[in-house]
Amino acid sequence: MNVDAFWELIEQSARETSTKDGRLRWLHGKLARQPVEEILDFASWMQEARLKADTYMVWGAARALDLVGGLDSVWYFHMWLVGLGRETFERVTSDPDTLAEVPEVQSFLHLQRHRLPRTDEDLPGFEELDYVAVKVWPQVTGLDGDALADALQARGYVLEALPNPTDEEWDFDDDEEAARRLPRCTSYFRELYGRA
């Protein structure tokens, strides 16, 4: 499975279903019919996506828009960003300040700002997307999830349990620094809450 096939599966799961749970079932069904190497490839591309999203700038943009809190929520946000599809993922990871322009982000912030009911579908987290390959692996191979982790490590991946950005660290709570690094996110959030 090449990177194009990986993203096609992610995007097709959104076209074929209407909920996060539906997407997980759809992806599980697709991967369960693939050779072991394809499942490993899918897990590898997911690791590549996570590495690309795991930056202080992406984290800072999500913080500036109040989309994440603790470390776990950052991890789940990365998977949600993957779930939005390749174009959005590539745009945001290349220029995190564009996160403020993502329609799904604006929709969530509108609900949050006006204290409207939100469902799991609205929330900017998709933890279970990270576990699709882990859940399919035993079904196809008869081996446990540790064997998948070993196979990924053999491909050179260091499996992290929490975010571990390698770009320049900065203080998300420094309003001036956030406004300098992420002017669109900061401005959008301030305007939304009437703090401009």
Side-chain angles (χ1 to χ4, degrees):
M1 177 182 300
N2 62 25
V3 67
D4 295 330
F6 167 78
W7 283 111
E8 177 55 29
L9 279 176
I10 295 294
E11 292 169 0
Q12 192 175 356
S13 73
R15 291 191 301 269
E16 297 287 335
T17 65
S18 59
T19 65
K20 290 176 182 174
D21 284 343
R23 292 181 73 178
L24 296 172
R25 285 191 300 274
W26 187 91
L27 285 165
H28 187 283
K30 284 289 188 183
L31 283 181
R33 295 189 297 275
Q34 300 300 316
V36 172
E37 204 62 26
E38 296 281 300
I39 299 167
L40 183 54
D41 288 344
F42 182 89
S44 296
W45 289 119
M46 193 65 82
Q47 286 296 315
E48 289 291 332
R50 181 177 294 292
L51 288 170
K52 190 166 186 175
D54 191 13
T55 67
Y56 284 108
M57 285 299 292
V58 169
W59 188 351
R63 276 284 303 271
L65 294 168
D66 200 25
L67 301 176
V68 298
L71 292 176
D72 285 350
S73 69
V74 177
W75 216 230
Y76 309 154
F77 171 77
H78 290 163
M79 289 296 96
W80 182 74
L81 197 54
V82 170
L84 294 180
R86 188 177 197 171
E87 182 182 333
T88 299
F89 178 85
E90 294 292 348
R91 185 174 65 249
V92 171
T93 54
S94 296
D95 181 3
D97 205 22
T98 62
L99 186 60
E101 300 160 6
V102 173
E104 292 85 353
V105 168
Q106 293 179 351
S107 175
F108 171 75
L109 290 175
H110 172 78
L111 294 174
Q112 183 170 281
R113 168 66 178 98
H114 298 287
R115 300 177 189 208
L116 298 171
R118 292 162 293 188
T119 69
D120 185 55
E121 302 309 315
D122 301 311
L123 300 178
F126 198 178
E127 176 185 7
E128 293 292 319
L129 186 58
D130 199 26
Y131 309 139
V132 172
V134 174
K135 291 184 177 181
V136 171
W137 184 260
Q139 178 184 339
V140 174
T141 65
L143 303 171
D144 65 16
D146 289 341
L148 175 59
D150 292 343
L152 287 169
Q153 288 173 337
R155 286 189 171 192
Y157 294 102
V158 176
L159 306 180
E160 302 284 353
L162 291 171
N164 187 30
T166 56
D167 60 330
E168 180 188 357
E169 187 173 359
W170 56 282
D171 183 1
F172 303 142
D173 294 322
D174 181 333
D175 292 341
E176 287 184 18
E177 185 67 10
R180 184 181 71 77
R181 290 179 184 259
L182 299 159
R184 284 175 280 187
C185 287
T186 305
S187 175
Y188 182 83
F189 194 76
R190 287 176 178 170
E191 288 173 14
L192 184 68
Y193 282 89
R195 300 176 190 160

